[in-house]
Amino acid sequence: MSLFRPGIRCLKCRSHDFTIFNSNLLQCNVCLSIDNMLHLAEDYFFCLEQVMPGAVYSRRDLFMHMGFELNNYAYTRLTGALFRKVSARKYKFGSGPD
């Protein structure tokens, strides 16, 4: 039985080991492929939303699910593009109404 390990994964080698460049690009440290952070995060949180609909995320939760530290600019881009604010420090995936 495999256990769920949170964090986005490389599309090619399925590794969780990434390096972030310029707040937008991720490079896999195993196979060296480069992907867009927002596209990988959108796919990941879309699938997570199917398993846990209506989940609310804090900053710490987002960092845990991303699997690496984001700088403030990358965090703001991520939350602005993919999430909507439900309280001062809580976010929900998607942009539609509740």
Side-chain angles (χ1 to χ4, degrees):
M1 174 169 77
S2 67
L3 298 174
F4 172 72
R5 181 175 168 205
I8 60 174
R9 297 170 72 173
C10 176
L11 296 175
K12 291 184 180 177
C13 69
R14 307 312 244 176
S15 170
H16 289 276
D17 191 17
F18 285 102
T19 301
I20 187 167
F21 295 106
N22 75 0
S23 305
N24 187 32
L25 298 175
L26 296 176
Q27 181 178 21
C28 177
N29 293 327
V30 176
C31 69
L32 302 178
S33 67
I34 296 175
D35 289 304
N36 184 308
M37 180 194 68
L38 290 176
H39 290 163
L40 290 177
E42 183 177 18
D43 291 343
Y44 174 79
F45 283 104
F46 177 78
C47 292
L48 198 59
E49 183 71 17
Q50 303 303 311
V51 176
M52 299 183 312
V56 177
Y57 304 99
S58 66
R59 182 181 181 106
R60 180 183 300 180
D61 296 335
L62 291 175
F63 283 168
M64 180 199 60
H65 282 290
M66 291 300 288
F68 51 87
E69 288 293 320
L70 298 171
N71 60 29
N72 285 335
Y73 179 72
Y75 175 77
T76 304
R77 285 195 65 213
L78 178 71
T79 55
L82 302 179
F83 294 88
R84 61 185 161 87
K85 198 174 242 189
V86 293
S87 70
R89 294 186 179 109
K90 301 286 183 178
Y91 298 92
K92 250 186 179 177
F93 178 70
S95 58
D98 227 3

